[in-house]
Amino acid sequence: MFHRLVRWSFLLGTSALILAAAVACGVASAAPSAQGSDTPTPGPNLTPVPGSNRLPTTDIGESGTGRVFAQPDTAIANIGVELTEPTLAAATSESNTRMTAVLDKIKSLGVDAKDITTVNYYVNPETSNPKQGEVPKVIGYHVSNLVRVKIRKLADVGKILDAGINAGANSLNSLTFTVDDPSAFQQEARAKAVKDATDKAKTLADAAGVKLGPIISISENVTVRPILDKASFAPGLGAGGGGPGPVESGQNEITVN
């Protein structure tokens, strides 16, 4: 039965964002001279540009973080058949028969063919452990056939996977929950990250007695890192009926740094 699956959650669109803001260190931020001249008095460690009464523009670099939580709308599972038979013909025939039954059952429950993709198919001969001087003999063939299934109705995840197992699948090596189109959430997180970095830069500028000018550069380094709770699956547990078990999707955290 499929009730041995526990909740998974997934982290999407993690990225690094570094913001550099110009610091206006000229007339706007320098204190007037004692003689009342229009020429600003340089602050500590600032040297006027040669031939000019203007100070050089420097910058403050800061990083910010924006987080947005989104309810997953899609599940992705890798499910399939793994078996070993004495002959190549028997192994491939049995694998094909069982996998066809699995796919037919999954499609009958509303999964579109375009959302099913073969991700792994291999046939490996298995050999005996020969004694010294003997030639290894092929004693069987191991076949693995896995497909990635995208399930767009989360309420049907347990039912679909349990049905696939009852139809002959005996391998389920991953299950993740995600947002099919995270772009809107990433945009929101990105805007929050820029605001966070700007607020930090302003705090530093205020403490230093200078004023922030416009942002002069923003860089972003995108990575994706899943955060997963443990899930377990034992081949063959789906046989014998009993109905689908509960599957919880949790939340996705979209983070931009």
Side-chain angles (χ1 to χ4, degrees):
M1 298 246 294
F2 196 68
H3 62 273
R4 290 178 177 266
L5 281 171
V6 192
R7 185 174 68 183
W8 295 55
S9 60
F10 199 72
L11 176 66
L12 296 177
T14 304
S15 61
L17 183 150
I18 301 174
L19 176 150
V23 178
C25 294
V27 177
S29 63
S33 65
Q35 290 78 16
S37 170
D38 291 335
T39 302
T41 301
N45 301 321
L46 294 178
T47 303
V49 176
S52 171
N53 65 350
R54 297 180 61 187
L55 296 176
T57 299
T58 184
D59 61 82
I60 291 176
E62 259 299 350
S63 63
T65 301
R67 291 185 176 90
V68 176
F69 290 89
Q71 189 67 31
D73 57 17
T74 304
I76 299 176
N78 283 4
I79 186 171
V81 173
E82 293 196 35
L83 54 83
T84 302
E85 295 290 344
T87 67
L88 178 60
T92 55
S93 176
E94 178 67 12
S95 173
N96 292 343
T97 299
R98 290 174 61 174
M99 199 62 188
T100 298
V102 170
L103 295 177
D104 288 345
K105 188 62 177 180
I106 289 175
K107 291 176 183 177
S108 74
L109 294 176
V111 178
D112 197 300
K114 69 180 181 182
D115 290 329
I116 303 175
T117 305
T118 298
V119 293
N120 183 45
Y121 184 88
Y122 68 82
V123 180
N124 284 339
E126 295 193 347
T127 59
S128 60
N129 294 321
K131 297 179 181 179
Q132 188 174 2
E134 292 182 346
V135 178
K137 295 181 179 180
V138 175
I139 59 174
Y141 292 86
H142 181 79
V143 178
S144 175
N145 188 353
L146 295 177
V147 294
R148 177 174 293 123
V149 180
K150 181 180 287 188
I151 303 171
R152 299 180 183 275
K153 293 182 180 180
L154 295 189
D156 292 343
V157 171
K159 177 177 66 175
I160 290 172
L161 295 182
D162 198 58
I165 293 166
N166 281 309
N170 62 355
S171 177
L172 175 60
N173 61 17
S174 72
L175 175 63
T176 58
F177 293 91
T178 185
V179 177
D180 192 44
D181 182 8
S183 58
F185 300 105
Q186 290 173 335
Q187 288 287 76
E188 184 180 351
R190 187 173 289 116
K192 289 185 176 182
V194 173
K195 184 180 184 304
D196 184 42
T198 302
D199 290 344
K200 290 178 180 178
K202 187 177 185 305
T203 298
L204 291 176
D206 290 345
V210 297
K211 293 183 180 179
L212 287 182
I215 295 173
I216 58 175
S217 69
I218 296 178
S219 63
E220 186 177 44
N221 181 22
V222 179
T223 60
V224 177
R225 180 174 61 89
I227 297 179
L228 305 174
D229 291 333
K230 182 179 180 182
S232 60
F233 171 73
L237 286 178
V247 177
E248 298 294 334
S249 62
Q251 277 191 326
N252 284 189
E253 183 184 8
I254 294 91
T255 305
V256 175
N257 292 324

